[in-house]
Amino acid sequence: MSLADYGENKILDEWFTIFGSTLYVGLSTADPLDDGTGLAEPTGGGYARKATTNADWNAASGGSRTNSVVFTFDPATGNWGTISHVCFFDALSGGNLLASGALTQPKAISADQVASFPAASLTIGLD
C-alpha cells in the first residue's frame, strides 16, 4: 500500500511539527545514504548549516513541497569540495539526518564562492 497524494501532502505539511519548529539545511560532497554513514559535510572554510522553518516552504502539492525562499550559505573561506547533495537535519551540528537528495548539477565550492539555491529549486517529497 502507498500513500495517496493527499496523505503525502498532509505529512509533508506537518514536517516541521513532526521534527521540530526549526530544521537545518546542510550540504554533502557524497551520498549520505539513508543511514547517514556516507555523509561528507564540508568542514571549516566558513561552512555552517542554514536554519529553516515551515514558513520557508510552500504548501505541499502533488506529494511534494518546494522552498519558497532562497537558501544562501555564507561565502566559503576555504575549499568545500564538490557539493553533490543537500540534506536536512534536526540540529545545527551533529543531530540526525532526516532527508537528503542529489543535486542535478553538483557544484565545486572554493574560497569566496557561495552556495545558493533559488526559490522552488529544492523539493521534499515522499517516495
Side-chain angles (χ1 to χ4, degrees), residues 13-36:
D13 283 338
E14 294 299 323
W15 178 260
F16 289 89
T17 302
I18 295 167
F19 292 112
S21 60
T22 302
L23 299 179
Y24 300 87
V25 179
L27 306 174
S28 182
T29 60
D31 184 347
L33 306 174
D34 283 346
D35 64 3

Side-chain angles (χ1 to χ4, degrees), residues 54-69:
N54 195 50
D56 297 333
W57 296 85
N58 295 311
S61 175
S64 65
R65 272 184 105 162
T66 59
N67 56 311
S68 60
V69 300

Side-chain angles (χ1 to χ4, degrees), residues 5-6 15 19 33 37 50 73 76 96 98 100 104 113 120:
D5 282 351
Y6 177 81
W15 178 260
F19 292 112
L33 306 174
T37 58
K50 299 301 288 185
F73 288 76
N96 298 294
L98 304 176
S100 67
T104 55
Q113 292 185 315

Side-chain angles (χ1 to χ4, degrees), residues 23-127:
L23 299 179
Y24 300 87
V25 179
L27 306 174
S28 182
T29 60
D31 184 347
L33 306 174
D34 283 346
D35 64 3
T37 58
L39 181 65
E41 280 187 283
T43 56
Y47 171 78
R49 295 175 185 169
K50 299 301 288 185
T52 183
T53 66
N54 195 50
D56 297 333
W57 296 85
N58 295 311
S61 175
S64 65
R65 272 184 105 162
T66 59
N67 56 311
S68 60
V69 300
V70 176
F71 284 107
T72 301
F73 288 76
D74 291 338
T77 59
N79 183 12
W80 290 3
T82 300
I83 304 303
S84 61
H85 288 74
V86 174
C87 309
F88 291 86
F89 299 91
D90 60 2
L92 181 58
S93 63
N96 298 294
L97 175 68
L98 304 176
S100 67
L103 297 175
T104 55
Q105 296 178 344
K107 181 175 180 177
I109 302 291
S110 57
D112 298 324
Q113 292 185 315
V114 175
S116 185
F117 301 92
S121 68
L122 299 176
T123 301
I124 301 171
L126 296 175
D127 58 8

